[in-house]
Structures are given as C-alpha cells and as structure tokens.
C-alpha cells in the first residue's frame, strides 16, 4: 500500500510543471536627496552625512540589482563595469539633487579594477580614482531649485498648479488648522527667534519650521529645546500641510493639476520602463532624483495612501521607491508583454541589506503585481507624456506653450476659406507671407548696406522636452 502511494506521489510530482525562479527584467529607482542644510536660509547644500546616506543607498541597490548572486539581479545587466546604454540617470538642475544622484550612482557602480587600457606600445593605463566609473547624469527641469525654495510649487512653472496650491491657503481646512495651532507655534518662540519673525511662527510655515529644527536635531551638539510631544506635533503638522499642497484628492483623475510634478514623474517612469520592454531588455535600469514634494504628488495620483498612511508623510532623506519589471516565464528569450508584471517597493530612509524596501500595492487594488498592460493604461490616465498635455493642464501660454498655441491657432485659421475673393485663406496667407518677406529682405539689405553690419550665427536656446513631458528650461 505504501509502495503504491509513494509511486503515485512520484508520478504526480513528475507530471507537475516546474516553476522557475522569478526573472527581473529591469527596474526604475526614484530617490530623495540626502541630508542637507536648512531651507530657511536659502542656498541649501548637501552635507557629508547626506552624501554618505545616498552612497550607502546606492550600494544597497548594487547588491540588489547588479550583484550576480542576488535573487533580484537584473537579467543581463553588466557587472562590475557599467555599460552606458543599459542605464540612465537624471536629476533636476539643483546642486543638492545633482550631487546626491552622483553619490548614489557611485554606490550603484563603484570603482572597478577592470578600468584598464592596454595600449599598442605595450604600456598599461589605469583609470584615476581607483577605477571610478562615470555615469552620465542628465538634468531635468522638474522641480528645479526645489531645495532652495521654501514653497512646494514655487518653481514648478505650472500656472494652474500654483493657483491650486495657493487656494489651499484660503480653504476652511487650512484656516481652521492655522487658528488652532497658533498658540503652539508661538510657544516655540525661544527656539525659533533666531530664524523666524513672530509673524512667521505659524502653520503657514509648518514645513520650514520643522525642517529648521530637524537640521538642528541632527547637527547641533546643543539640540533645540523641544519635547518629544512637541516634535511629534511639528512633524505631523508639516506632513499635513505639505501633502495638501502637493495633492488634492477632490480634483478629477484627468486633472490632478496640484500634483503636476507627480504627473510628470508618472510619464517619465512609464517612458523608462517602456524602454526596457520595447528594447526587449537591452535597457536595464532608470535612476532619478527629486524632492519630497514629487514623492507626495506621485503617491497621491497612484493611490498609495490607500495602501498605507506612510505615504502621506514627508519621506526621510535618501528614501527610495522602485518599480520592477518581472516575469515567471523561464528561458533566455525576453518574454511577451502579456507575461510581464510590475511590482512597487518603498523604503523610508537609507535602504540596506538589513532594512530593505517593502512591497506595496498600487492603484488601491491590493495586488502586489500589476500586469504590464494594466500598469500602462492606468498610469496613462494620470500621467503627462507630452508638451501639449502639460500646456493644456497647466494653462500656460508662454515659452514652449506659446509656440504650441501659435501653431494650433495658425492651423485652425488656415482650415477655412474666404470665398468672397475667390482665393482660399491658405493661398492668401502664402501670398501675403511672400510679399512681407520681400519687403523685410529689402529693408534688411538696406540696413546692412548703410550700417556696415555683418551676420553671425547665434546658438538657439529655450525650452525643450526632456522625457515624457517634462519641460526643460534653464532657470539659473
């Protein structure tokens, strides 16, 4: 009896399909900068502690994605030497964020002894700085100057987002909170008087006050005289204020204009992950840096607060979230799109092998894995993926949006005809343009002839697309 039962189990086990280990096809990492100087004094700078925080975080992701022994090793990613076409990295044009990204990338791909050239004359050249690896860091304009601005939307460039965030300051919720916390903030005068006026000690400056005291708690040997209860309240009030400035749940899914930075980020994430899918795995890893405000905005539009209240608080320095493309299909070939899933993980603060990112469900659905096709369709509902979208949602009419409006207006006006003169408007427009051009050229010729001027080529500047709808316009 036992023999027949064992035989039956053996046959059943042989008949059962073998499930291979999960394959990680690619990933996208979004990170906050490291520890920095306080915002209240302006000209914020990354501290040595901050540099160490992001470097350690990058080192963790080396063990997670680059190391060949990791269960989450990205399939086919180069190790230990970086291959430029496999990775992209970006950060806003801001010193704290750019320097943080550089430190992080040093951890992801540390110096390697393989950085050696053997020349034709028989000599050997080793790379400087013990084989330091250079990863090109692109500059985006998303949240430019964010670490020098005390207000979340101060530099977003989106007109309607600025109006939406400003309206929070006149809302009943804000006014009630400001009134109920007035005495609390005034009671902190002894520790704030060096940096804030009496009038500025209020809920309106909740985050700036919290940030100032937080830096003091980290760096000053004589810590601010604030009780644990007061500190918890300061942090809670800052979280409440900043989340409401970054995201408004009452706005429609297609609008979410207050969360403009999160919408732009959603488009950039979609673009990065799609590079992996469309290249069939040749592109491996996208890395981007930003401020806590962009975390807030993206968390809001992706429904993350439904998964945890942790997504409504200001994330700590060097916090990261990752989106991984995974499949259970075995083999060496890149899987079909229907077999690819997306998984989201988040870690508050510097990640490490002893404190790893935790998996959370997206879109409020309760599933750890989202089918790639579903992720694309749901993200497109809230993402910005073009200049036109950004201009339409923001209501901007200058810069890139001005040229877009002009083009659209011209296209609209030339679509009709004026039959009274027997000449269509497009033809009339061409004739008029030619006459005007002839007049201008004649005047220019006279101008240069009389004035003795010469023509020199000038490099063009102005807004341009970075990725998935972020407008790049150097503000510095």
């Amino acid at each position: 009896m036992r023999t027949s039962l064992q035989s039956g189990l053996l046959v059943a086990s042989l008949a059962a399909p073998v499930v291979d280990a999960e394959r990680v096809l690619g990933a996208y990492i979004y990170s906050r900068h490291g520890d920095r100087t306080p915002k209240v004094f302006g000209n914020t700078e990354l501290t040595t502690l901050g540099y160490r925080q992001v470097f350690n975080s990058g080192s963790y992701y080396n063990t997670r994605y680059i190391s060949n022994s990791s269960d989450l090793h990205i399939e086919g990613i180069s190790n230990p030497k970086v291959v430029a076409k496999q990775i992209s990295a970006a950060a806003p044009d801001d010193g704290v964020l750019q320097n943080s990204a550089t430190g992080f990338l040093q951890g992801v791909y540390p110096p390697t002894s393989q950085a050696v050239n053997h020349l034709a004359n028989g000599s050997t050249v080793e790379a400087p700085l013990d084989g330091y690896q250079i990863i090109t860091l692109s500059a985006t304009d998303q949240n430019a100057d964010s670490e020098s601005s005390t207000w979340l939307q101060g530099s977003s460039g989106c007109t309607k987002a600025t109006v939406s965030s400003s309206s929070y300051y006149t809302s009943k919720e804000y006014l009630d909170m400001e009134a109920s916390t007035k005495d609390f903030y005034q009671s902190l005068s002894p520790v704030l008087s060096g940096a804030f006026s009496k009038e500025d000690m209020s809920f309106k400056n909740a985050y700036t006050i919290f940030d100032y005291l937080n830096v003091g708690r980290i760096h000053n040997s004589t810590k601010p005289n604030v009780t644990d209860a007061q500190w918890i309240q300061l942090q809670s009030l800052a979280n409440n204020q900043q989340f409401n400035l970054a995201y408004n749940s009452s706005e429609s899914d297609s609008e979410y204009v207050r969360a403009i930075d999160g919408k732009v980020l959603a488009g950039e994430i979609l673009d990065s992950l799609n590079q992996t899918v469309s290249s069939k795995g040749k592109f491996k890893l996208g890395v981007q840096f930003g401020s806590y405000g962009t975390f807030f905005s993206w968390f809001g539009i992706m429904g993350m607060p439904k998964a945890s209240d942790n997504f409504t608080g200001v994330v700590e320095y060097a916090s990261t979230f990752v989106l991984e493309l995974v499949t259970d299909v075995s083999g060496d070939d890149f899987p079909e799109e229907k077999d690819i899933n997306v998984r989201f993980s988040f870690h508050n603060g510097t990640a490490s092998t002893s404190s790893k990112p935790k998996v959370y469900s997206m879109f409020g659905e309760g599933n750890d894995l989202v089918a790639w096709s579903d992720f694309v369709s749901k993200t497109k509902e809230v993402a910005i993926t073009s200049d036109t979208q950004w201009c339409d949602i923001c209501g901007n009419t200058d810069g890139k949006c001005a040229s877009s409006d002009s083009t659209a207006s011209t296209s609209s006006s030339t679509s009709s005809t004026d039959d009274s003169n027997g000449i269509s408007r497009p033809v009339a427009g061409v004739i008029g343009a030619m006459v005007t051009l002839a007049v201008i050229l004649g005047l220019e010729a006279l101008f240069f002839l009389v004035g003795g001027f010469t023509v020199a080529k000038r490099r063009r500047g102005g807004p341009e697309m970075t990725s998935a709808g972020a407008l790049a316009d150097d503000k510095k």
Side-chain angles (χ1 to χ4, degrees):
M1 179 69 178
R2 177 175 295 180
T3 302
S4 62
L5 178 60
Q6 289 175 335
S7 300
L9 291 173
L10 178 60
V11 172
S13 65
L14 291 174
V18 178
V19 179
D20 287 343
E22 177 184 77
R23 298 161 57 195
V24 178
L25 308 171
Y28 173 91
I29 305 172
Y30 191 76
S31 177
R32 190 187 178 194
H33 56 79
D35 177 81
R36 50 147 175 75
T37 55
K39 283 191 173 187
V40 67
F41 299 123
N43 299 317
T44 55
E45 296 180 356
L46 187 69
T47 65
T48 301
L49 171 62
Y51 205 98
R52 171 56 65 178
Q53 288 171 334
V54 291
F55 175 81
N56 287 349
S57 182
S59 298
Y60 163 73
Y61 283 105
N62 172 276
T63 63
R64 181 183 178 99
Y65 293 135
I66 313 301
S67 173
N68 295 327
S69 61
S70 172
D71 292 337
L72 293 172
H73 169 78
I74 296 177
E75 192 171 79
I77 198 165
S78 180
N79 180 36
K81 191 174 180 180
V82 66
V83 173
K85 66 180 181 180
Q86 292 185 347
I87 182 173
S88 70
D93 187 12
D94 174 272
V96 171
L97 293 165
Q98 290 265 324
N99 291 336
S100 291
T102 299
F104 180 89
L105 293 170
Q106 288 174 347
V108 174
Y109 270 105
T112 173
S113 59
Q114 292 186 8
V116 176
N117 282 159
H118 300 282
L119 305 184
N121 62 8
S123 63
T124 299
V125 179
E126 295 183 1
L129 304 176
D130 299 321
Y132 176 89
Q133 301 197 67
I134 299 173
I135 299 177
T136 302
L137 182 63
S138 302
T140 68
D141 196 50
Q142 184 188 4
N143 259 2
D145 302 329
S146 57
E147 290 312 305
S148 297
S149 172
T150 58
W151 184 42
L152 182 65
Q153 296 288 10
S155 56
S156 69
C158 179
T159 302
K160 287 186 178 180
T162 302
V163 172
S164 178
S165 287
S166 296
S167 68
Y168 168 66
Y169 289 113
T170 60
S171 67
K172 184 179 185 303
E173 178 184 358
Y174 169 79
L175 294 174
D176 288 346
M177 187 70 77
E178 185 181 40
S180 65
T181 60
K182 182 178 181 179
D183 291 340
F184 168 71
Y185 281 107
Q186 291 296 312
S187 71
L188 297 172
S189 178
V191 294
L192 297 177
S193 58
F196 297 86
S197 66
K198 198 78 171 175
E199 295 74 24
D200 289 334
M201 298 176 194
S202 70
F203 180 64
K204 185 173 184 179
N205 295 301
Y207 179 75
T208 312
I209 290 172
F210 163 77
D211 179 64
Y212 169 71
L213 294 175
N214 185 46
V215 172
R217 283 167 63 95
I218 294 172
H219 291 280
N220 295 346
S221 56
T222 304
K223 295 183 178 180
N225 187 20
V226 176
T227 67
D228 289 342
Q230 288 175 322
W231 181 249
I232 291 173
Q233 188 171 0
L234 280 165
Q235 191 168 25
S236 176
L237 290 170
N239 290 342
N240 177 283
Q241 181 211 41
Q242 292 299 294
F243 185 77
N244 281 295
L245 283 172
Y247 172 74
N248 181 8
S249 60
S250 66
E251 292 177 334
S252 65
D253 290 356
S254 60
E255 190 73 5
Y256 280 145
V257 68
R258 191 176 299 183
I260 189 66
D261 290 324
K263 292 174 72 65
V264 171
L265 178 60
E268 291 173 343
I269 290 172
L270 197 59
D271 179 67
S272 180
L273 294 177
N274 189 57
Q275 284 188 61
T276 300
V277 175
S278 62
S279 69
K280 295 190 180 299
K282 292 179 181 178
F283 177 78
K284 309 291 184 182
L285 178 64
V287 178
Q288 190 164 344
F289 267 70
S291 69
Y292 68 85
T294 306
F295 276 84
F296 269 148
S297 297
W298 190 82
F299 287 160
I301 64 174
M302 297 297 283
M304 301 312 302
K306 296 177 183 178
S308 172
D309 289 339
N310 292 335
F311 296 108
T312 59
V314 175
V315 299
E316 296 178 9
Y317 295 133
S319 292
T320 50
F321 72 72
V322 296
L323 291 147
E324 298 163 341
L325 293 173
V326 299
T327 184
D328 286 329
V329 175
S330 60
D332 297 329
D333 295 333
F334 194 82
E336 296 181 25
E337 291 189 19
K338 65 181 180 62
D339 295 318
I340 300 174
N341 294 309
V342 183
R343 179 172 56 220
F344 168 84
S345 301
F346 168 71
H347 188 274
N348 197 19
T350 302
S352 66
T353 53
S354 60
S355 184
K356 303 176 182 179
K358 181 181 177 181
V359 176
Y360 293 90
S361 62
M362 293 181 287
F363 308 110
E365 295 183 346
N367 300 318
D368 289 347
L369 294 177
V370 178
W372 168 244
S373 59
D374 290 341
F375 177 82
V376 171
S377 61
K378 290 181 188 316
T379 302
K380 280 185 175 180
E381 291 176 4
V382 295
I384 286 178
T385 58
S386 69
D387 279 343
T388 302
Q389 267 188 292
W390 192 90
C391 294
D392 288 346
I393 291 174
C394 291
N396 285 35
T397 57
D398 56 353
K400 187 77 171 182
C401 299
S403 60
S404 296
D405 288 345
S406 176
T407 301
S409 176
T410 302
S411 298
S412 174
S413 65
T414 57
S415 62
S416 59
T417 60
D418 184 355
D419 294 331
S420 61
N421 294 321
I423 301 176
S424 66
R425 289 186 180 178
V427 174
V430 171
I431 294 173
M434 291 178 67
V435 172
T436 302
L437 180 61
V439 173
I440 291 174
L441 289 175
L443 290 173
E444 284 187 347
L446 180 61
F447 175 74
F448 285 109
L449 181 63
V450 175
F453 290 93
T454 58
V455 179
K457 187 175 181 180
R458 182 173 180 269
R459 194 169 75 89
R460 295 182 63 188
E464 61 182 24
M465 287 295 298
T466 53
S467 61
L471 286 173
D473 183 11
D474 189 5
K475 297 181 181 178
K476 289 195 171 184

